[in-house]
Amino acid sequence: MEVKIEIGAKSFIYYYRDVLHVALDALAAAETVSFGHVPSPAEELAAVHPSGDDDGDDHERRGTLDADLCVDECRNARRAHGSDARVLAVLLHADEALVSWRGAHYMFPVRVNISNVLDNGELWRTVGYLEHVSKSVGRSASAKLAVNDTRNDLLQRLLAVSMRAFARESEEGVTAVVAGHGSVLLVPLVVGLVVDQVEERSVLALMGNRFRYFCPPSMEEMEMSGGLLGVRAVCRDVVTSLEEHLSAAVLRADDPRPSRRRDLDRDHSALAFVPALGPVYGLATRP
């Protein structure tokens, strides 16, 4: 499919596939599908400490489905949707590439990996092509800021288009036919990003420079990064960060001057763009 995105006076054509439909088609046509180890009720009870915390050291880690984050999200999904619910685990990948088709062009292919599908070494599937935004012609700070804003705005809007149905069904779940399993209640979740640090911060809409908090998952300060004191940093609160993104976006719409948003930038290193992963359920649950 294709859609035209207009940002200011510029128009961009986005060629894409719906991430949820790609994932459901892959599960229906796969030869081997796994949802990881599904514990019995007794095992679920034994995995919870008296303190209420899950014990993540009771299983062998062999792949994405056995990773602590994925195992914990599977437990959360079963608590929210019932013991029959299964997580549709998706990894996202985005990285600028040089492609050649009647000439060379730079663009960002967006790919997904459905971790539940074990066929052919877990193939990646391309779900979109993001148009390259060239550097600014002018050397002024305002010209560079305009290009950076266009890049950030375009990325989030295009990801939102591809993941619209995925985000909606991540809250309630979707029942679909899975090869070898029949009709299954699936809870779509993004369980990981496979990206370089530059793309990681872009996808999460965090500042790329002049920022205070260097680590996306935690509130580790730049001055302490890599040091002993850095291990004391608390985890980044997803909901609070999203509120900061929203506040900054409202301020930017009223007045685009960065000085208006300096305090918000300093407190969370959050850009004035709301990340498209924000409405995907599961990001605000443990862990």
Side-chain angles (χ1 to χ4, degrees):
M1 297 177 285
E2 65 180 78
V3 62
K4 181 164 70 172
I5 302 293
E6 295 183 354
I7 301 178
K10 296 183 179 180
S11 295
F12 302 89
I13 300 297
Y14 180 44
Y15 300 94
Y16 73 101
R17 301 168 68 192
D18 184 280
V19 173
L20 180 63
H21 291 169
V22 169
L24 294 180
D25 289 345
L27 290 179
E31 294 182 2
T32 306
V33 176
S34 173
F35 294 103
H37 173 65
V38 181
S40 64
E43 290 175 318
E44 285 274 29
L45 185 61
V48 179
H49 287 294
S51 63
D53 294 330
D54 290 333
D55 180 11
D57 295 325
D58 58 349
H59 64 281
E60 180 182 354
R61 296 160 182 81
R62 294 161 296 180
T64 301
L65 296 176
D66 304 306
D68 288 351
L69 186 148
C70 192
V71 169
D72 286 345
E73 290 298 350
C74 289
R75 289 171 177 160
N76 289 327
R78 289 193 292 272
R79 293 190 188 109
H81 301 280
S83 59
D84 293 333
R86 299 291 180 262
V87 166
L88 171 53
V90 170
L91 300 174
L92 284 180
H93 169 73
D95 194 13
E96 189 172 40
L98 180 66
V99 298
S100 179
W101 180 74
R102 298 183 64 184
H105 301 273
Y106 279 102
M107 61 176 56
F108 273 89
V110 180
R111 298 185 176 96
V112 297
N113 179 287
I114 296 86
S115 301
N116 309 95
V117 177
L118 305 183
D119 301 353
N120 301 319
E122 305 180 7
L123 291 179
W124 289 82
R125 294 161 173 82
T126 302
V127 296
Y129 289 102
L130 279 65
E131 192 171 338
H132 176 74
V133 180
S134 301
K135 295 181 179 180
S136 62
V137 178
R139 295 186 178 182
S140 65
S142 59
K144 294 179 180 179
L145 177 63
V147 171
N148 288 335
D149 283 354
T150 299
R151 287 174 175 170
N152 290 319
D153 197 4
L154 181 63
L155 174 62
Q156 299 305 333
R157 292 172 69 175
L158 299 186
L159 288 176
V161 168
S162 288
M163 302 193 65
R164 183 181 302 160
F166 190 97
R168 181 176 63 249
E169 301 301 344
S170 69
E171 182 177 3
E172 298 295 336
V174 57
T175 300
V177 176
V178 178
H181 295 265
S183 182
V184 180
L185 174 59
L186 301 171
V187 182
L189 294 177
V190 176
V191 297
L193 300 176
V194 183
V195 289
D196 294 333
Q197 190 176 70
V198 175
E199 284 75 21
E200 176 191 30
R201 302 191 69 83
S202 296
V203 171
L204 299 179
L206 298 175
M207 297 180 67
N209 55 20
R210 302 191 307 275
F211 50 84
R212 180 180 179 184
Y213 296 105
F214 183 81
C215 178
S218 75
M219 300 302 286
E220 179 187 40
E221 295 196 33
M222 181 67 175
E223 292 77 8
M224 298 181 181
S225 179
L228 183 61
L229 294 178
V231 300
R232 300 179 182 177
V234 298
C235 293
R236 185 182 290 271
D237 186 279
V238 178
V239 175
T240 301
S241 294
L242 286 174
E243 290 174 345
E244 297 292 338
H245 285 296
L246 287 165
S247 298
V250 170
L251 283 175
R252 178 178 175 273
D254 179 62
D255 187 341
R257 290 178 296 177
S259 58
R260 290 285 309 277
R261 312 186 299 270
R262 193 160 293 155
D263 289 340
L264 295 174
D265 295 343
R266 183 170 57 248
D267 291 341
H268 287 270
S269 301
L271 292 173
F273 301 92
V274 183
L277 290 181
V280 177
Y281 196 81
L283 290 176
T285 60
R286 294 186 301 168

